[in-house]
Amino acid sequence: MEKNAEHTHVHRDDEGDKLGMWLFIFTELLLFGMLFLIYAVYRYRNPVAFQLGGEEVDVFIGTLNTVLLLVSSATVAMSISAIQKGLKKHALVFLGITLLIALVFLVNKYFEWGAKIEYGFYPGGEALLELGHGTILFFGLYYVMTGIHALHILIGIGLFIYVFQQIRADKIHSTDYIWLENTGLYWHLVDIIWIFLFPLFYLIH
Amino acid sequence: MSQEKSHISSYQSHVFVLLALLALTAISVAVTTLELGRLDTLVAMLIAATKAAIVLVWFMHLKFDNKLYAIFTVLVLVVFLLVLYVTFFDYSYR
Amino acid sequence: MSESTKSNHTSFLEYKGKYRGILGWILSTDHKRIGLLYLYTMLVFFSVAAILGLLMKIQLIAPGHTIMGPATYNAMFTMHGIIMIFIIVVPGLPAVFGNFFLPLMIGAKDVAFPKLNLASWWIYVIGILIVLTSQFLGDGPPDTGWTFYAPYSFQTPANIVPALVGAFVLGFSSILTGINFVVTIHRLRTPGMTWFKMPLFPWTLYATAWIQILATPVIGITLLLTVMERTLGVGIFDPALGGDPILYQHLFWIYSHPAVYIMILPGLGVISEIIPVFSRKRIFGYKAIVLSSLAIAFVGYFVWGHHMFTSGMSGRALFAFSFLTFLVAIPSAVKVFNWVATMYKGSLIFQTPFFWAVSFIFVFMIGGFSGLTLGSLATNVHLHDTHFVVAHFHFIVFGGTGFSFLAAIHYWFPKMFGRMFDASWANIGWVVFFAGFLTLYLPMFSLGIMGMPRRYYDYLPEFHAANILSSLGAMLMIAGAMIIIVNLVRSARYGKKTNEKNPWGGKTLEWQADTPPTLENWEEIPEVTEKPYEY
Ligand SMILES: [Cu+2]
């Protein structure tokens, strides 16, 4: 029995799939863009509090995570190069490294957040509510923006696991790798968002 | 693209791009210790924009792919920046 | 179908795939079946929201408590708005007629991502169900209006969160449809159909799809932040914690003004299809219509502030937004000019789709002009939050989207169902509906100018006369809507069967396909050499 009797024509259009992925990336850019807009407005209105807020954040973990994400962006790109050349083993290794880094990123995030939450530094937390409005906004945005970013990392991990399986099963190979390519595009988007989050929350003060 | 001939980047080129990105990160971290005041934000944003551009052009293959993606990306950024600009018509003059 | 047994000659309505019965529809990836799924879903919820609207008008037939009190009234206009906006008019034409006719009009077999298309419908249904739970769970139905303005939306005890989450999910469905359409138009146009040989409805869908992709995430994140405000108290919109509630309004309208163009642009496309066919004349200024669609999509992005003239924005922002609003009126007016110029010296054919199209132009212009009244600062201050706004809004969104939807369904009905609708009942329905529409909404303009505020269940005695007229108009319009719907539903089941491919003499590709279309639309992909609308 045919798997899908309704669509007998086998239609494959990698360029179309990629265009679809780019359009999705544009949606994501606008979504995060609005968060950056909110940040800009509140930084403009509360310059001092945002300056002080930036000093409360763990620069070391932030820098570490930045380096990790940049490396993972390179490895996922290398994984695509590998599959294009037909080097399945290489592709799996590079993808495995990327997956591992994504997990480490989340572990770091867990400790970073954990340390703050312990001190009551979270939305609605007692320690935070005692501080001024600007600081409440800074940390509100900090949790929302890095939180939604972390959610995207989590989705990325899911995609990596799926793509990893597909490469192992030879469903993704040197002539059909759009899934890997699109996953790579998504991951670079996640990286780009972080490239902006990093200075805004960890560096400038 | 897998159906048509596509540009394959070498491992080395990815490593070079990565090194550039890491160098920019290092500069960005170093600059904040200089305490430049208001300039701080500007420099940090310029470096971040450069890094993002590098990721877009090389890692995301805008340089080698159909020019359509590059055009769309620029247009989307223009729309976003204009929205940001128009919003500040309110906040800068309140 | 008796005349053929080969599966690729069977109409999409009767095709038997892997699944039978209802499953053959709700699991079908065929763009035409998905279009009809949207149509039926919308029909159900349109009826619900229209009844809510009618109940509100009955309440307003006399001052004071007629059939409901203030709390019920608030809940009703909120639910009326949420259903009509997020479930009916935003998905509206793209989801129903875009899905059904985009592939047919560009000579494709389906949209680019058929499975994603089906997923969009499912996400849409899930979104609806989540919205509906807000009515029955928690501390009473939402009473914020469809705009969910901060800070009330996180202070009211009503059950707001499911409404916000539901609207978020519906937005997701809208984004996926937009992505699907842009890729379809880029990748699946038939050979020979260059960009400027593409019919105008696909063009407007293209502009709309870009707005869906670039504006919907804005409302998505805004609704999500409001959910977080309610559940976690992050403070972003909460003045008690330093947030700026006006920033909520900015974000809300950064989406919701472009959303008006999501609603209206495909409608403008439909009218641009119908006018040349029923004038037997080439469309006047094809390129001007295309470019004005793109211009509307682009400029429409930067005018949102005209919803906030009285919110306490800076003076400069007021001027900027007022100016930009006047600017965006130009491309809309270009289209009206083109339609009228197309009809000029054409051999007009007076049939139901044409009636709807012409009445559309009429109401759209009244809506547009009252929009300019609201877009200029001085008059806006007087008219803001009065019934004038309600009238303007309904002339654009109901007059615009609703009339073009009805124009579209009568125009494409034979192609969709392989049957003709009963023309005399359709025309009677149009007359009653049109008369009801004007009687319902025109008095609201003068009520607004006289100063009657909107969103109150009660009013001063001096507004009584106009309100009676308006409420009677509502009943007349509902009667018209019932005639139309009953006629269409009856015709879809028992109407005169037709296999005629091109009953109206249209020149666009969908009229070359079988009636009703087969599963994959074409045995051979049609070639296109000349421009559309060459009469
Ligand atoms: Cu508007």
Side-chain angles (χ1 to χ4, degrees):
Chain A
M1 185 172 148
E2 274 180 86
K3 231 183 150 203
N4 191 344
E6 290 202 330
H7 280 270
T8 41
H9 63 280
V10 183
H11 168 79
R12 187 180 147 205
D13 177 16
D14 288 355
E15 194 71 37
D17 292 353
K18 193 147 122 189
L19 177 59
M21 190 65 211
W22 271 102
L23 295 171
F24 181 72
I25 286 174
F26 296 150
T27 285
E28 291 272 27
L29 280 178
L30 262 291
L31 185 134
F32 278 102
M34 289 307 122
L35 288 169
F36 286 116
L37 183 142
I38 297 171
Y39 178 96
V41 166
Y42 287 144
R43 188 176 186 97
Y44 179 81
R45 285 163 64 105
N46 309 279
V48 179
F50 270 57
Q51 226 166 40
L52 296 176
E55 286 167 12
E56 297 298 318
V57 181
D58 194 330
V59 183
F60 175 72
I61 292 192
T63 314
L64 179 66
N65 269 348
T66 308
V67 172
L68 284 174
L69 269 194
L70 290 175
V71 173
S72 74
S73 242
T75 51
V76 80
M78 286 157 96
S79 165
I80 296 170
S81 294
I83 207 93
Q84 284 173 321
K85 293 176 188 161
L87 303 170
K88 181 179 165 187
K89 274 244 173 67
H90 285 200
L92 285 174
V93 170
F94 285 129
L95 201 63
I97 297 174
T98 317
L99 178 58
L100 208 67
I101 294 178
L103 286 168
V104 174
F105 182 98
L106 284 186
V107 172
N108 286 347
K109 188 104 267 168
Y110 171 79
F111 284 117
E112 188 193 341
W113 277 29
K116 289 203 177 48
I117 290 170
E118 210 176 307
Y119 290 112
F121 255 76
Y122 54 91
E126 276 173 35
L128 188 59
L129 286 177
E130 281 172 17
L131 299 168
H133 282 169
T135 316
I136 295 176
L137 285 175
F138 181 86
F139 281 100
L141 282 170
Y142 165 80
Y143 279 105
V144 168
M145 290 172 84
T146 59
I148 294 178
H149 180 264
L151 187 69
H152 281 76
I153 300 259
L154 210 61
I155 295 167
I157 290 173
L159 283 170
F160 288 143
I161 292 172
Y162 172 74
V163 169
F164 195 89
Q165 290 295 337
Q166 295 293 100
I167 296 178
R168 272 200 2 181
D170 284 317
K171 296 266 173 55
I172 294 176
H173 48 75
S174 62
T175 53
D176 187 358
Y177 52 83
I178 187 65
W179 262 95
L180 176 60
E181 208 178 3
N182 278 349
T183 305
L185 283 174
Y186 172 83
W187 193 248
H188 296 312
L189 165 82
V190 174
D191 192 17
I192 287 180
I193 303 299
W194 185 261
I195 285 176
F196 285 97
L197 288 179
F198 172 56
L200 289 177
F201 284 107
Y202 298 84
L203 285 187
I204 48 182
H205 42 68
Chain B
M1 289 323 316
S2 27
Q3 281 162 311
E4 297 137 39
K5 274 221 170 114
S6 69
H7 175 95
I8 303 180
S9 309
S10 65
Y11 293 165
Q12 287 96 320
S13 69
H14 291 314
V15 174
F16 279 133
V17 173
L18 174 62
L19 289 176
L21 289 168
L22 291 175
L24 283 168
T25 309
I27 295 172
S28 191
V29 174
V31 165
T32 40
T33 57
L34 292 178
E35 304 289 343
L36 293 173
R38 294 206 66 171
L39 224 62
D40 209 24
T41 315
L42 185 71
V43 173
M45 283 296 99
L46 280 179
I47 293 177
T50 315
K51 282 163 74 181
I54 290 174
V55 172
L56 279 165
V57 171
W58 278 283
F59 280 167
M60 295 175 92
H61 251 224
L62 281 184
K63 186 165 188 253
F64 312 105
D65 269 343
N66 194 334
K67 284 287 159 282
L68 196 67
Y69 304 131
I71 296 168
F72 282 166
T73 307
V74 171
L75 281 176
V76 169
L77 290 177
V78 166
V79 167
F80 168 66
L81 291 174
L82 279 175
V83 167
L84 190 66
Y85 177 70
V86 174
T87 307
F88 271 82
F89 266 111
D90 179 11
Y91 287 97
S92 319
Y93 300 104
R94 234 196 240 171
Chain C
M1 289 249 148
S2 50
E3 63 266 27
S4 76
T5 45
K6 262 176 76 184
S7 68
N8 57 340
H9 281 286
T10 315
S11 100
F12 80 98
L13 290 166
E14 290 162 19
Y15 186 84
K16 299 264 191 303
K18 185 179 169 190
Y19 302 102
R20 299 289 151 113
I22 183 102
L23 283 182
W25 282 79
I26 61 174
L27 295 176
S28 168
T29 54
D30 176 26
H31 65 102
K32 301 177 288 294
R33 288 197 172 186
I34 293 173
L36 290 185
L37 285 178
Y38 275 109
L39 178 66
Y40 300 144
T41 321
M42 282 178 198
L43 184 64
V44 170
F45 286 95
F46 174 81
S47 312
V48 173
I51 289 167
L52 292 179
L54 181 66
L55 290 174
M56 273 150 47
K57 287 317 290 184
I58 293 174
Q59 160 61 25
L60 289 179
I61 205 162
H65 186 298
T66 315
I67 56 168
M68 65 181 89
T72 318
Y73 188 81
N74 290 353
M76 282 210 173
F77 73 66
T78 302
M79 208 50 196
H80 172 80
I82 293 175
I83 294 179
M84 284 297 195
I85 297 286
F86 293 113
I87 301 177
I88 312 292
V89 287
V90 168
L93 286 142
V96 178
F97 300 108
N99 263 322
F100 200 108
F101 285 103
L102 174 62
L104 283 164
M105 292 178 89
I106 62 172
K109 290 183 169 177
D110 206 319
V111 291
F113 309 117
K115 281 182 195 156
L116 190 71
N117 202 17
L118 177 63
S120 294
W121 182 75
W122 275 101
I123 294 171
Y124 171 73
V125 171
I126 291 166
I128 294 176
L129 293 177
I130 298 175
V131 168
L132 288 183
T133 59
S134 69
Q135 296 301 298
F136 308 111
L137 303 174
D139 300 319
D143 56 354
T144 56
W146 71 280
T147 48
F148 304 114
Y149 265 14
Y152 184 64
S153 57
F154 42 84
Q155 286 173 344
T156 169
N159 193 21
I160 306 289
V161 171
L164 293 169
V165 174
F168 176 86
V169 174
L170 288 168
F172 206 66
S173 158
S174 176
I175 291 172
L176 294 181
T177 304
I179 291 177
N180 222 333
F181 285 3
V182 170
V183 177
T184 305
I185 291 171
H186 270 277
R187 302 295 299 169
L188 297 183
R189 275 172 293 132
T190 181
M193 184 178 280
T194 55
W195 281 96
F196 285 111
K197 283 181 186 150
M198 189 163 72
L200 288 162
F201 182 57
W203 259 116
T204 52
L205 286 174
Y206 184 72
T208 306
W210 271 105
I211 310 177
Q212 286 175 308
I213 292 167
L214 295 185
T216 319
V218 180
I219 191 79
I221 192 67
T222 312
L223 296 176
L224 216 55
L225 286 172
T226 314
V227 171
M228 290 186 198
E229 204 68 74
R230 262 189 98 85
T231 51
L232 304 170
V234 285
I236 289 172
F237 299 131
D238 189 351
L241 297 174
D244 180 16
I246 295 177
L247 186 57
Y248 174 91
Q249 296 187 21
H250 275 299
L251 291 166
F252 183 84
W253 292 111
I254 288 174
Y255 165 74
S256 295
H257 185 82
V260 176
Y261 294 116
I262 295 178
M263 305 166 195
I264 197 76
L265 266 174
L268 304 176
V270 167
I271 304 304
S272 305
E273 294 293 336
I274 293 175
I275 296 282
V277 173
F278 289 84
S279 306
R280 288 289 182 269
K281 230 182 109 206
R282 198 174 68 168
I283 187 98
F284 181 87
Y286 167 88
K287 271 196 183 159
I289 296 185
V290 169
L291 295 178
S292 64
S293 298
L294 297 175
I296 287 178
F298 183 73
V299 182
Y301 234 94
F302 311 106
V303 302
W304 74 85
H306 58 221
H307 297 267
M308 304 161 57
F309 283 160
T310 58
S311 69
M313 268 195 306
S314 82
R316 293 230 191 176
L318 295 180
F319 285 119
F321 282 124
S322 183
F323 173 73
L324 288 165
T325 302
F326 274 85
L327 218 59
V328 83
I330 297 170
S332 311
V334 166
K335 285 190 202 298
V336 173
F337 178 81
N338 282 321
W339 296 325
V340 177
T342 305
M343 285 187 278
Y344 179 68
K345 286 193 177 166
S347 18
L348 302 183
I349 299 165
F350 294 101
Q351 274 171 315
T352 323
F354 184 71
F355 295 147
W356 280 110
V358 176
S359 51
F360 166 92
I361 299 177
F362 182 73
V363 293
F364 182 64
M365 279 179 61
I366 296 180
F369 284 132
S370 56
L372 289 179
T373 318
L374 290 167
S376 59
L377 292 172
T379 40
N380 180 281
V381 173
H382 178 71
L383 296 171
H384 191 89
D385 251 338
T386 68
H387 266 67
F388 191 92
V389 176
V390 183
H392 157 71
F393 179 89
H394 283 88
F395 262 91
I396 288 290
V397 172
F398 198 13
T401 314
F403 276 54
S404 55
F405 195 100
L406 288 162
I409 200 161
H410 285 98
Y411 178 54
W412 281 316
F413 189 90
K415 183 60 76 185
M416 294 168 87
F417 296 100
R419 292 172 188 272
M420 268 317 271
F421 57 83
D422 183 321
S424 25
W425 276 111
N427 292 340
I428 294 168
W430 169 71
V431 170
V432 176
F433 187 93
F434 192 26
F437 180 90
L438 296 177
T439 327
L440 164 57
Y441 294 115
L442 280 177
M444 286 191 189
F445 280 122
S446 36
L447 282 171
I449 293 170
M450 283 151 67
M452 178 175 163
R454 68 190 182 125
R455 292 187 167 176
Y456 286 92
Y457 84 115
D458 195 5
Y459 52 82
L460 296 172
E462 66 241 45
F463 302 133
H464 196 182
N467 267 304
I468 293 177
L469 192 61
S470 174
S471 294
L472 292 176
M475 292 167 198
L476 193 62
M477 193 183 76
I478 293 289
M482 274 163 60
I483 296 173
I484 293 162
I485 291 171
V486 169
N487 181 40
L488 288 179
V489 171
R490 224 177 55 94
S491 302
R493 298 201 60 166
Y494 312 111
K496 195 168 119 294
K497 271 200 169 181
T498 172
N499 282 325
E500 200 188 331
K501 282 187 176 180
N502 195 354
W504 311 117
K507 292 280 185 182
T508 39
L509 276 185
E510 79 271 31
W511 301 113
Q512 291 178 28
D514 285 346
T515 294
T518 55
L519 179 71
E520 296 203 328
N521 300 344
W522 324 95
E523 274 170 70
E524 249 173 73
I525 295 289
E527 285 255 10
V528 172
T529 46
E530 57 173 17
K531 293 190 163 192
Y533 322 113
E534 291 293 336
Y535 283 97

